[in-house]
């Protein structure tokens, strides 16, 4: 996946009101950028941390710049969580994930009861993507905040699997660092238990790396799970 629009180097100042981020560009300009991240971003911010901004060059946007990546403790992290689905979509349609979870058209935002699942592959497989940025040593874990919505997604996948249809939970790690992926039981034990119940019903869980690049994100290798 490649970013549309030029990239601008900056430094992190502060996160405000969840979707706002104050930065200072390398040229010395102080500005507020959009930050598309609903999580706590634990471990993903630090004073004066390097930031990669995307310049939309859109005069109609209230905030012209968007925060895409932050570098903390020597590791680049994609903090725009909307990018995870874009990377996976490319992987499903013309990349290493194509055909891995079934054959047929790939559809986005598929309704299942009162939940909306990220993808449907063909007529028989639902696939939900979660962006994993929380790191504890060599272990990466999801979620970084309590997520009732995430539990709803997992329960929907479990229903599909119990009915004999395909159901996949894909943890995407859009960052450098860390070697295996697990569940953050200390953050949201209810979510962790929901995932384990879903696995017992036949939900497939996989984890994949996505490498941050200056001009985009590259889908990388599969990572081991530690559930």
């Amino acid at each position: 996946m490649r970013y549309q629009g030029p990239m601008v180097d900056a430094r992190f100042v502060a996160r405000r009101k969840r979707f706002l981020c104050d930065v200072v560009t390398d040229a010395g300009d102080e500005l507020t950028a959009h930050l598309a991240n609903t999580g706590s971003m634990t471990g993903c911010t630090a004073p004066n941390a390097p930031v990669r901004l995307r310049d939309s060059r859109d005069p109609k946007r209230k905030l012209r710049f968007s925060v895409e990546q932050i570098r903390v403790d020597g590791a680049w992290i994609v903090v725009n969580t909307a990018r995870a689905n874009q990377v996976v979509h490319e992987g499903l349609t013309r990349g290493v994930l194509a055909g891995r979870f079934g054959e047929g058209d790939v559809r986005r935002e598929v309704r299942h009861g009162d939940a909306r699942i990220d993808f449907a592959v063909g007529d028989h497989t639902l696939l939900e993507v979660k962006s994993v940025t929380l790191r504890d040593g060599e272990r990466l874990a999801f979620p970084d905040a309590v997520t009732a919505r995430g539990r709803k997604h997992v329960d929907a996948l479990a229903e599909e699997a119990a009915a004999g249809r395909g159901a996949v939970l894909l943890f995407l790690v859009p960052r450098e660092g860390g070697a295996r992926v697990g569940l953050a039981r200390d953050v949201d034990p209810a979510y962790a238990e929901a995932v384990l119940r879903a696995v017992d019903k036949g939900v497939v869980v996989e984890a994949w790396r996505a490498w941050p690049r200056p001009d985009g994100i590259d889908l990388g290798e599969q990572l081991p799970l530690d559930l």
Side-chain angles (χ1 to χ4, degrees), residues 57-87:
R57 290 185 171 175
D58 183 354
K60 296 180 181 179
R61 280 190 54 168
K62 183 177 181 180
L63 296 174
R64 171 175 164 175
F65 295 90
S66 297
V67 178
E68 295 289 347
Q69 303 176 19
I70 296 178
R71 189 170 185 258
V72 178
D73 294 332
W76 281 105
I77 307 165
V78 178
V79 291
N80 180 345
T81 55
R83 299 302 184 188
N85 280 17
Q86 295 175 15
V87 171

Side-chain angles (χ1 to χ4, degrees), residues 84-114:
N85 280 17
Q86 295 175 15
V87 171
V88 171
H89 185 261
E90 285 192 3
L92 291 171
T93 55
R94 57 178 184 273
V96 297
L97 300 180
R100 186 177 181 86
F101 305 113
E103 302 293 337
D105 293 338
V106 176
R107 291 173 289 131
R108 302 192 194 201
E109 296 292 320
V110 179
R111 177 67 67 179
H112 184 285
D114 60 350

